[in-house]
Amino acid sequence: MTAHFAKVPAVLAAVALAGPLSAERLYLDDAAACDRVLISEDGILDYAAEGGLILDGSGFSSLEYFCSFQPALRLDWSSHRVSDHMGRCELPGPQYYPQLFTVVLDPEEPGTVSIWTGEAEPLRFYACAS
């Protein structure tokens, strides 16, 4: 289980450093949580501890759940974009599940990242302005 805790700081670092995702943006699975997360020094860690998902260029995670994928995300809403990414999800135990992720970027919803995982509805992540 220690490996899961080590991945959250990696997510925090990815948000702070320039990379495939915009360094000025934080992506959460709950747009309403953006203000609460951004005003607190420990906001991202608290959000992850509550089970909230945080997206970075190589996947998404919370404190006890992590999904990674390749290739890294390149976010561009200039046109409708669909990309496939191979990866895996990890749960405590550790338990690993191979996964195919289909990422959709719709110019009519800039700042929203939809990730299809085979469920009836996609996971959605929303850009928070920092």
Side-chain angles (χ1 to χ4, degrees):
M1 193 153 5
T2 304
H4 298 283
F5 292 100
K7 291 179 181 169
V8 171
V11 170
L12 301 177
V15 169
L17 300 173
L21 295 180
S22 172
E24 294 83 39
R25 295 289 176 130
L26 172 66
Y27 292 84
L28 303 178
D29 67 332
D30 180 1
C34 287
D35 289 340
R36 179 173 49 93
V37 168
L38 292 173
I39 62 170
S40 171
E41 185 176 302
D42 295 326
I44 294 172
L45 187 57
D46 291 343
Y47 185 71
E50 296 166 2
L53 295 175
I54 303 160
L55 177 70
D56 71 19
S58 63
F60 54 89
S61 65
S62 68
L63 213 54
E64 295 287 327
Y65 182 67
F66 183 81
C67 290
S68 62
F69 45 76
Q70 292 287 330
L73 290 181
R74 299 284 178 202
L75 301 181
D76 177 1
W77 285 271
S78 62
S79 65
H80 188 83
R81 298 183 187 278
V82 178
S83 58
D84 293 326
H85 304 261
M86 297 296 296
R88 71 173 176 267
C89 294
E90 181 181 344
L91 297 167
Q95 299 174 24
Y96 299 97
Y97 299 95
Q99 185 74 53
L100 174 65
F101 303 95
T102 299
V103 177
V104 178
L105 303 174
D106 185 343
E108 293 184 20
E109 295 183 87
T112 299
V113 180
S114 297
I115 301 178
W116 294 86
T117 63
E119 298 295 322
E121 291 294 321
L123 288 170
R124 287 194 173 84
F125 292 88
Y126 307 93
C128 300
S130 58

